[in-house]
């Protein structure tokens, strides 16, 4: 990190503190409310999304409901999604889905936590809609021409979660073990669900 | 006219950068502040919307948009929106920032640091 | 209010300049696609972005575009598609065509 950037971080940190102190003094936002919200944010990790995916792999009825109405189905699992409007899109042998937000960084944070830096980068946002196959190849995913690529630009109020295909060779695994095969990147669509050799 | 944020399809001849920085506590707090200010369940209603956050970010000049970090853009926007609404005054924020910086320097001096 | 458009219907994104906050990306304006689903009704971003939350709601659609329609130089199979969420006031009817 350059000295300049370090300086900018420091001044941003001071500005954040000044702003937050003023909001607290004015009774707008208490320190306790900030702490409580931070605690909630730390509970949001890709493990939640992975749980949803694994359930869909094991329960065809759930999968059907998940694809029909993502928010309702996820709520069934007791996951607090606070108003998230979720669309789940399914990868198959002939279709691969990829999620981007070209205008900012919309992301299913309630199920995956905060987006990675690359998801927020100018490069990803500019290129994912125009040359998705090249972007996927950079992530190590070279798809053959007979697999259709479908990009989802989350421009407005819906958030997207990719339901990756269940890897082969996982018949002997339980639902929780299968969830461990589901990475954050697989649920954004820049990777496939992992092979069992990665976890066993 | 489209703003500096409207990036879809822009010709960018560079790979997607894969380096991840560890998110800093102040960045998390900016995120939390945004959520709290726009919380629909907030007593008396939300003080702002996500669309306002975006508008504040999009009104940055292209140069500033690219030079600021992600959560710096957010913080800048939150301050713009809260100033517009009269929740805070620019001058009091500037005064407070001076206090914060002074306190920071003092803490460092006490610890014998530069 | 009944939806102006329905799943399967051919639509065009209105190609107009915008001042201020909108959620219709520049690259998709003027492009033709097909309604994939109706997402519901939401606050209009052009209002909400300026602190006006009370106004009417706008219906939101997910519209599917062929990549070759969006990017004439698209380097990929003809089947590749792009889904974008577009509000009703940014859509117009079009005759189904090629």
């Amino acid at each position: 990190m350059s000295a300049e950037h370090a300086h900018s971080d420091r001044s941003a940190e001071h500005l954040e503190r000044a702003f937050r102190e003023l909001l607290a003094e004015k009774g707008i936002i208490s320190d306790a409310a900030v702490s409580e919200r931070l605690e909630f944010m730390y509970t949001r990790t890709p493990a939640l999304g992975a749980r949803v995916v694994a359930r869909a792999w094991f329960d065809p009825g759930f999968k059907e409901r998940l694809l029909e109405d993502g928010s309702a189905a996820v709520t069934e699992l007791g996951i607090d999604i606070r108003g998230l409007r979720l669309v789940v899109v399914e990868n198959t042998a002939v279709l691969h889905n990829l999620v981007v937000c070209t205008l900012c960084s919309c992301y299913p944070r309630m199920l995956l936590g905060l987006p990675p830096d690359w998801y927020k980068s100018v490069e990803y946002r500019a290129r994912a809609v125009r040359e998705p196959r090249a972007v996927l190849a950079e992530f190590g995913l070279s798809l053959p021409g007979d697999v259709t690529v479908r990009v989802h630009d989350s421009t407005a109020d819906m958030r997207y979660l990719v339901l990756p295909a269940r890897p082969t060779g996982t018949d002997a695994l339980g639902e929780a073990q299968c969830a461990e095969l589901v990475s954050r990147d697989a649920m954004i669509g820049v990777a496939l669900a992992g092979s069992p050799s990665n976890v066993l | 006219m489209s703003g500096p944020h409207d990036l879809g399809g822009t010709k960018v001849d560079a790979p997607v950068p894969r380096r991840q920085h560890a998110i800093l506590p102040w960045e998390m707090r900016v995120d939390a502040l945004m959520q709290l200010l726009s919380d629909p369940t907030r007593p008396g209603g939300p003080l702002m919307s996500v669309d306002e956050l975006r508008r504040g970010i999009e009104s940055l000049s292209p140069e500033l948009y690219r030079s600021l970090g992600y959560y710096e853009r957010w913080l800048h926007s939150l301050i713009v929106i809260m100033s517009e609404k009269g929740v805070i005054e620019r001058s009091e924020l500037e005064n407070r920032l001076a206090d914060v910086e002074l306190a920071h320097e003092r803490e460092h001096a006490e610890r014998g640091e530069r | 209010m009944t939806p102006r458009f329905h799943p399967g219907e051919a639509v065009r994104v209105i190609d107009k300049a915008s001042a201020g906050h909108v959620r219709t990306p520049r690259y998709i304006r003027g492009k033709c696609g097909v309604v994939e689903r109706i997402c519901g009704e939401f606050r209009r971003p052009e209002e909400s972005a300026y602190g006006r939350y009370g106004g009417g709601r706008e219906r939101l659609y997910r519209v599917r575009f062929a990549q070759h329609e969006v990017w004439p130089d698209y380097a990929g199979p003809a089947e590749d598609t792009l889904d974008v969420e577009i509000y009703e006031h940014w859509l117009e009817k079009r005759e189904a065509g090629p």
Side-chain angles (χ1 to χ4, degrees):
Chain A
M1 182 185 283
S2 70
E4 209 170 21
H5 196 166
H7 172 76
S8 142
D9 273 355
R10 171 63 50 74
S11 49
E13 188 179 344
H14 289 167
L15 189 57
E16 183 276 329
R17 179 169 154 193
F19 181 55
R20 177 167 40 86
E21 283 182 5
L22 282 182
L23 292 176
E25 280 171 22
K26 290 169 185 288
I28 307 284
I29 291 177
S30 69
D31 289 343
V34 174
S35 301
E36 189 245 0
R37 184 61 61 136
L38 289 171
E39 267 171 44
F40 177 72
M41 287 167 72
Y42 283 116
T43 67
R44 303 291 111 174
T45 74
L48 290 170
R51 210 178 115 202
V52 173
V53 168
R55 174 59 59 88
W57 286 348
F58 278 76
D59 180 344
F62 175 77
K63 180 174 128 180
E64 199 175 313
R65 297 194 293 283
L66 185 68
L67 296 174
E68 177 70 30
D69 182 344
S71 301
V74 168
T75 306
E76 269 180 45
L77 299 185
I79 300 175
D80 174 9
I81 54 168
R82 303 202 174 178
L84 165 73
R85 296 290 301 256
L86 182 70
V87 174
V88 177
V89 290
E90 183 186 16
N91 285 352
T92 68
V94 293
L95 176 67
H96 186 86
N97 293 281
L98 177 68
V99 180
V100 61
C101 172
T102 60
L103 295 175
C104 47
S105 54
C106 295
Y107 189 73
R109 295 158 53 124
M110 288 297 123
L111 291 173
L112 299 184
L114 299 178
D117 288 344
W118 61 258
Y119 186 85
K120 304 184 281 191
S121 71
V122 168
E123 291 82 359
Y124 184 72
R125 290 163 53 196
R127 296 177 54 215
V129 281
R130 189 181 195 126
E131 41 173 342
R133 287 174 182 268
V135 169
L136 289 171
E138 280 176 33
F139 280 83
L141 198 53
S142 294
L143 296 173
D146 58 357
V147 175
T148 296
V149 171
R150 180 170 294 160
V151 178
H152 304 268
D153 188 355
S154 0
T155 45
D157 301 279
M158 315 307 280
R159 299 293 176 267
Y160 295 86
L161 186 83
V162 174
L163 172 59
R166 182 170 173 175
T168 53
T170 56
D171 290 354
L173 299 186
E175 191 173 320
Q177 284 174 306
C178 275
E180 289 178 32
L181 304 174
V182 185
S183 67
R184 172 197 71 197
D185 286 4
M187 293 181 277
I188 303 173
V190 295
L192 305 177
S195 68
S197 58
N198 293 343
V199 285
L200 295 181
Chain B
M1 201 199 91
S2 67
H5 65 289
D6 192 354
L7 289 168
T10 311
K11 294 270 189 183
V12 175
D13 194 18
V16 176
R18 303 288 292 283
R19 204 174 55 176
Q20 177 68 37
H21 86 293
I23 187 158
L24 299 166
W26 74 265
E27 296 178 305
M28 289 289 281
R29 288 195 297 267
V30 168
D31 203 303
L33 289 175
M34 170 56 205
Q35 293 181 42
L36 292 164
L37 289 170
S38 61
D39 186 348
T41 66
R42 185 190 156 80
L47 281 172
M48 65 181 291
S49 67
V50 175
D51 289 313
E52 283 172 297
L53 172 76
R54 291 166 174 159
R55 189 252 301 171
I57 292 170
E58 293 159 12
S59 62
L60 294 167
S61 71
E63 296 73 34
L64 203 54
Y65 185 88
R66 284 175 186 244
S67 70
L68 292 181
Y70 180 77
Y71 280 111
E72 285 180 296
R73 288 180 217 147
W74 278 42
L75 181 57
H76 174 98
S77 177
L78 291 180
I79 290 168
V80 167
I81 306 297
M82 288 302 112
S83 304
E84 280 177 6
K85 293 176 187 251
V87 173
I88 59 162
E89 299 288 336
R90 280 279 183 177
S91 56
E92 64 179 346
L93 182 64
E94 282 160 16
N95 291 340
R96 178 57 57 102
L97 180 59
D99 293 347
V100 168
E101 282 175 346
L102 201 62
H104 176 80
E105 280 169 28
R106 213 174 280 141
E107 282 162 27
H108 270 236
E110 280 167 15
R111 277 188 264 143
E113 293 170 25
R114 260 299 297 153
Chain C
M1 278 246 304
T2 52
R4 267 182 67 205
F5 308 105
H6 300 277
E9 196 169 348
V11 291
R12 177 183 285 108
V13 182
I14 294 173
D15 187 9
K16 65 180 178 191
S18 56
H21 178 77
V22 301
R23 294 300 287 178
T24 310
R26 182 78 251 166
Y27 75 82
I28 209 67
R29 298 184 201 170
K31 304 297 182 187
C32 295
V34 170
V35 172
E36 190 271 341
R37 74 172 72 178
I38 300 174
C39 300
E41 292 180 25
F42 299 91
R43 289 197 295 224
R44 195 178 298 180
E46 289 91 333
E47 303 285 323
S48 173
Y50 299 89
R52 298 187 294 272
Y53 315 141
R57 298 200 148 215
E58 194 68 35
R59 190 167 286 104
L60 181 70
Y61 298 84
R62 194 146 73 103
V63 182
R64 182 160 297 165
F65 302 85
Q67 286 281 26
H68 282 280
E69 155 74 9
V70 183
W71 319 106
D73 61 349
Y74 182 74
E79 292 77 20
D80 285 5
T81 57
L82 172 59
D83 286 5
V84 186
E85 290 161 46
I86 311 281
Y87 293 95
E88 191 166 272
H89 63 296
W90 274 92
L91 290 176
E92 59 190 10
K93 277 187 193 295
R94 80 173 161 101
E95 299 306 315

